[in-house]
Amino acid sequence: MATYDVVETPSAVASHLPIDSTPEPPVKRSRIKEFYFGIPGILTGAAIGIALGALVQTTSPSKEVVSWIGVPGSLFIRAIKCLVTPLVFCSLLVGMADMLAVGKASRIGWRTALLYITTTMIGATEGLLWVLLFRSSFGNKSKSIEVKAIEFAFACEEPGHFLTHVGANVSCVYDENYNKTSTFSPSSVFVANDIHRSFAKRNSGFTQRTLSQSLQGQLNAIVPSNITQAFADATLLSIIMFAIPFGVAIALLPRDLTVVADFFRAINIVFM
């Protein structure tokens, strides 16, 4: 028969009061809550959202209307992000302090690191497989970009006069066409040949980074220069790497300073 060690961590609240053997009456659960917070409620909400989205799309709403429709979802996502960051920090901090208190930090730490490396490798391999499978379906065809010439017009000091080129001569001439129709005459238009590509724009919003730059970015994220900024940006990697040594430091405090650990345990209970 397998035996298990019962480990009581500082976060566990032990009660030594006599246990009342009287069974508690069953708590009646509301069917509305079960439906709303269960899988049926999630599926119903998704179906309603898809139907409303299709209905709104047929009416060709303005950007302002679309922005107001997205406000509830945006607020919900912002609320989740607001809670996740302190929740992760307090949970890791308290967990690390408790593991050190019971002497299980080394064993659990190695298991966690091994699990992290394994899941990362599985995720990367799965991503590469999906790319190889569906590359032919999506292709790598770049859209043809129409290159437009850059045109300029130079105004002279006298009102209505513009720099005009006629053959090899350049002079300030009154542009009658522009003053009547607000359209420059061909002789007042200069075309710029972008030899050094000073006016060229990138057609992609992604920044190309080398493997070395990516690794250096991850290492820089592990050691944040400003933990407050990491909390503001919700950089979980920086917060995690800060919470682990902070939890170790709290666990090594003298017994008369347990108020610090108790404070974070209380905060963790509030978020949970």
Side-chain angles (χ1 to χ4, degrees):
M1 182 176 179
T3 59
Y4 299 92
D5 296 333
V6 179
V7 179
E8 182 179 343
T9 63
S11 296
V13 180
S15 177
H16 301 286
L17 297 176
I19 301 175
D20 188 5
S21 59
T22 305
E24 296 182 357
V27 180
K28 294 183 180 180
R29 296 182 179 179
S30 175
R31 293 185 178 181
I32 297 178
K33 289 185 178 180
E34 290 183 355
F35 176 83
Y36 184 77
F37 293 103
I39 296 178
I42 296 174
L43 296 178
T44 303
I48 294 175
I50 294 173
L52 290 177
L55 180 63
V56 171
Q57 189 176 7
T58 57
T59 59
S60 300
S62 61
K63 292 183 178 180
E64 185 176 0
V65 174
V66 173
S67 64
W68 277 106
I69 293 175
V71 166
S74 177
L75 293 178
F76 178 73
I77 298 298
R78 291 170 65 90
I80 291 178
K81 290 182 178 180
C82 180
L83 292 175
V84 164
T85 302
L87 176 62
V88 170
F89 175 74
C90 293
S91 298
L92 283 174
L93 190 149
V94 173
M96 180 58 64
D98 289 346
M99 286 190 296
L100 283 175
V102 298
K104 301 288 184 179
S106 178
R107 184 187 304 176
I108 298 177
W110 282 110
R111 291 180 181 178
T112 304
L114 181 61
L115 179 62
Y116 173 77
I117 295 173
T118 304
T119 53
T120 302
M121 294 179 63
I122 293 174
T125 305
E126 183 180 356
L128 291 174
L129 289 176
W130 284 113
V131 170
L132 293 176
L133 287 174
F134 292 99
R135 176 185 292 179
S136 58
S137 300
F138 293 96
N140 193 21
K141 300 178 181 179
S142 58
K143 297 181 180 179
S144 58
I145 301 174
E146 182 182 356
V147 180
K148 295 183 179 180
I150 303 173
E151 298 179 345
F152 293 94
F154 300 93
C156 299
E157 294 182 359
E158 298 182 14
H161 288 67
F162 294 89
L163 197 64
T164 305
H165 57 89
V166 179
N169 299 322
V170 178
S171 60
C172 285
V173 178
Y174 181 80
D175 193 339
E176 186 176 356
N177 189 27
Y178 176 78
N179 289 278
K180 288 183 178 180
T181 63
S182 298
T183 303
F184 290 102
S185 60
S187 59
S188 299
V189 176
F190 292 82
V191 179
N193 186 8
D194 192 9
I195 300 175
H196 301 288
R197 299 185 62 82
S198 301
F199 301 101
K201 295 182 179 179
R202 295 179 59 89
N203 57 0
S204 175
F206 298 97
T207 304
Q208 296 181 355
R209 304 182 66 185
T210 62
L211 178 60
S212 178
Q213 291 175 341
S214 300
L215 292 176
Q216 291 178 8
Q218 292 296 323
L219 293 176
N220 291 331
I222 290 176
V223 184
S225 59
N226 188 346
I227 189 60
T228 306
Q229 187 65 34
F231 273 98
D233 297 337
T235 309
L236 290 181
L237 182 59
S238 302
I239 296 171
I240 290 171
M241 298 308 298
F242 177 78
I244 292 175
F246 195 53
V248 173
I250 289 179
L252 297 178
L253 288 175
R255 292 185 177 274
D256 55 347
L257 294 178
T258 56
V259 62
V260 179
D262 294 338
F263 170 77
F264 283 103
R265 290 191 183 99
I267 295 295
N268 186 43
I269 293 173
V270 170
F271 280 109
M272 294 298 289

